[in-house]
């Protein structure tokens, strides 16, 4: 549509805020049929995608140049839940936490050419930057009722992944003004070419449970295994698939216009990682399954 602009223009969308609530059923559980479970809830402020576009037309509107910024997606989840259980005469307090932040921003130039008074074509090149972070944490507290429900044992499993990625992809589009009121459009988006992608993985295990609360004999050397931590740096990549978009609009020129579009994304293929297979999962981020 840039090909039909005859002057320089700037357009943008402001942030709209709302409430977002999501639920994970049986978020805290022991995966046993005879044990209770608890749902996990995430409540957060929702920011809808935003964009800004500045356009400069040339040669009386025959050519048009633009520079755009799009916040494609911004997802934030903070799930947490606790469950109280009684097992082997002990009171247990299980805690699950899952935090996720995912943000994709597109930045890039566009060029449009007006073939005639009814048809224009355009090309956009976008730099896609993604930041992704996910934290999974499980805690278990052993509580003795006779001392006022004060935790006397503590176990924690902490797993975190942080990635930063960037790629470049193109979008090619065309607009056909069928009549002064009706217009049809189409766009094709290519997969991204990766520029860089790096990720950091951290795993930590902490066992602060006193020896007299652990079943079985405990040797002094076993205490060495009560804290374990490892980290790794790996290359990462986000696939942006082929996309085909079709749209139509109807309106009164210079007054109002109503538009509707549909995007179809092509299937993706990927290698599935089995975290239970140590030979396959070794050195891989098992979160990405």
């Amino acid at each position: 549509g840039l090909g039909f602009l005859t002057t320089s223009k700037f357009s943008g969308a402001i942030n709209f805020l709302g409430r977002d609530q999501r639920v994970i059923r049986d978020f805290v559980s022991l995966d046993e049929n005879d044990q209770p479970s608890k749902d996990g809830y995430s409540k957060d402020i929702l920011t809808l995608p935003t964009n800004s576009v500045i356009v400069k037309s040339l040669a009386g509107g025959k050519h048009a140049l633009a520079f755009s910024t799009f916040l494609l997606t911004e997802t934030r989840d903070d799930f947490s839940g606790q469950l109280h259980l009684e097992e082997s005469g002990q009171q247990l307090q299980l805690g699950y936490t899952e935090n996720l932040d995912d943000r994709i921003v597109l930045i890039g130039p566009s060029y449009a050419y007006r073939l005639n008074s009814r048809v224009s074509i355009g090309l956009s090149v976008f730099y896609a930057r993604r930041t992704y972070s996910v934290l999974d944490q499980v805690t278990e507290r052993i509580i003795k009722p006779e001392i006022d429900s004060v935790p006397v044992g503590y176990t924690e499993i902490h797993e975190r992944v942080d990635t930063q990625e960037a790629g470049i992809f193109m979008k090619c589009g065309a607009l056909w003004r069928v009549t002064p009121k009706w217009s049809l459009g189409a766009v094709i988006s290519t997969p991204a070419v990766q520029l860089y992608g790096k990720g950091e993985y951290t795993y930590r295990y902490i066992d602060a449970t006193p020896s007299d609360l652990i079943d079985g004999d405990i040797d002094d050397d076993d205490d060495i295994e009560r804290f374990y931590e490892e980290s790794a740096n790996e290359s990462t990549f986000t696939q942006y698939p082929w996309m085909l978009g079709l749209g139509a609009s109807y309106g009164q020129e210079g007054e109002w216009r109503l538009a509707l579009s549909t995007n179809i994304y092509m299937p993706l293929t990927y290698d599935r990682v089995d975290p239970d297979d140590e030979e396959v999962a070794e050195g891989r981020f098992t979160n990405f399954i």
Side-chain angles (χ1 to χ4, degrees):
L2 297 178
F4 287 99
L5 294 176
T6 57
T7 60
S8 300
K9 292 182 180 293
F10 172 82
S11 66
I14 63 174
N15 287 333
F16 290 91
L17 301 179
R19 293 296 301 174
D20 184 31
Q21 176 175 304
R22 304 181 187 183
V23 181
I24 298 180
R25 300 300 181 190
D26 301 327
F27 181 65
V28 188
S29 68
L30 294 177
D31 295 327
E32 298 177 5
N33 294 330
D34 59 343
Q35 292 286 358
S37 61
K38 192 170 183 179
D39 298 337
Y41 295 87
S42 175
K43 296 181 180 180
D44 199 5
I45 294 293
L46 175 66
T47 303
L48 299 182
T50 64
N51 66 79
S52 62
V53 182
I54 185 169
V55 184
K56 174 66 176 179
S57 62
L58 304 171
K62 192 74 173 178
H63 307 270
L65 298 176
F67 189 84
S68 309
T69 300
F70 295 97
L71 176 60
L72 186 64
T73 181
E74 186 170 29
T75 301
R76 178 177 300 166
D77 282 326
D78 296 296
F79 290 98
S80 62
Q82 288 188 347
L83 183 64
H84 295 268
L85 299 171
E86 187 166 340
E87 190 175 85
S88 302
Q90 295 178 338
Q91 289 193 8
L92 303 180
Q93 184 184 77
L94 295 180
Y96 282 24
T97 300
E98 181 178 296
N99 299 330
L100 181 144
D101 286 283
D102 190 6
R103 192 171 190 262
I104 301 178
V105 177
L106 306 181
I107 303 173
S110 301
Y111 167 75
Y113 176 70
R114 187 187 303 178
L115 297 176
N116 52 52
S117 61
R118 301 177 69 180
V119 179
S120 67
I121 57 176
L123 174 67
S124 298
V125 179
F126 287 111
Y127 171 83
R129 186 177 187 274
R130 183 185 187 190
T131 55
Y132 177 89
S133 175
V134 61
L135 166 67
D136 290 303
Q137 182 171 288
V138 181
T139 60
E140 179 182 296
R141 290 176 170 86
I142 301 176
I143 300 173
K144 279 190 173 181
E146 64 268 20
I147 52 177
D148 253 353
S149 298
V150 176
V152 296
Y154 179 79
T155 304
E156 175 185 310
I157 298 176
H158 173 104
E159 194 173 24
R160 183 182 181 92
V161 173
D162 294 284
T163 68
Q164 293 184 358
E165 303 167 352
I168 291 180
F169 67 94
M170 295 189 302
K171 287 190 176 186
C172 304
L175 178 65
W176 176 30
R177 287 186 166 178
V178 183
T179 68
K181 292 185 177 182
W182 279 99
S183 295
L184 299 177
V187 62
I188 296 177
S189 179
T190 68
V193 177
Q194 185 180 17
L195 297 179
Y196 72 86
K198 58 181 181 179
E200 182 179 359
Y201 171 75
T202 303
Y203 175 86
R204 184 183 301 122
Y205 172 79
I206 300 173
D207 185 356
T209 304
S211 300
D212 60 348
L213 295 180
I214 300 178
D215 295 333
D217 296 330
I218 301 296
D219 297 328
D220 292 337
D221 292 340
D222 292 335
D223 288 337
I224 299 176
E225 302 298 329
R226 299 237 185 148
F227 177 82
Y228 175 77
E229 183 177 35
E230 68 171 328
S231 60
N233 294 299
E234 294 283 343
S235 61
T236 62
F237 177 59
T238 295
Q239 295 188 34
Y240 298 86
W242 285 94
M243 185 273 288
L244 172 64
L246 300 174
S249 69
Y250 177 83
Q252 192 68 34
E253 187 69 23
E255 296 183 7
W256 61 272
R257 183 163 293 272
L258 178 66
L260 175 67
S261 64
T262 300
N263 296 333
I264 302 173
Y265 294 88
M266 298 298 104
L268 289 174
T269 59
Y270 59 91
D271 295 327
R272 191 175 184 88
V273 177
D274 182 3
D276 295 327
D277 189 337
E278 294 183 2
E279 183 177 351
V280 175
E282 184 178 2
R284 304 288 294 273
F285 291 166
T286 55
N287 297 59
F288 294 84
I289 300 173

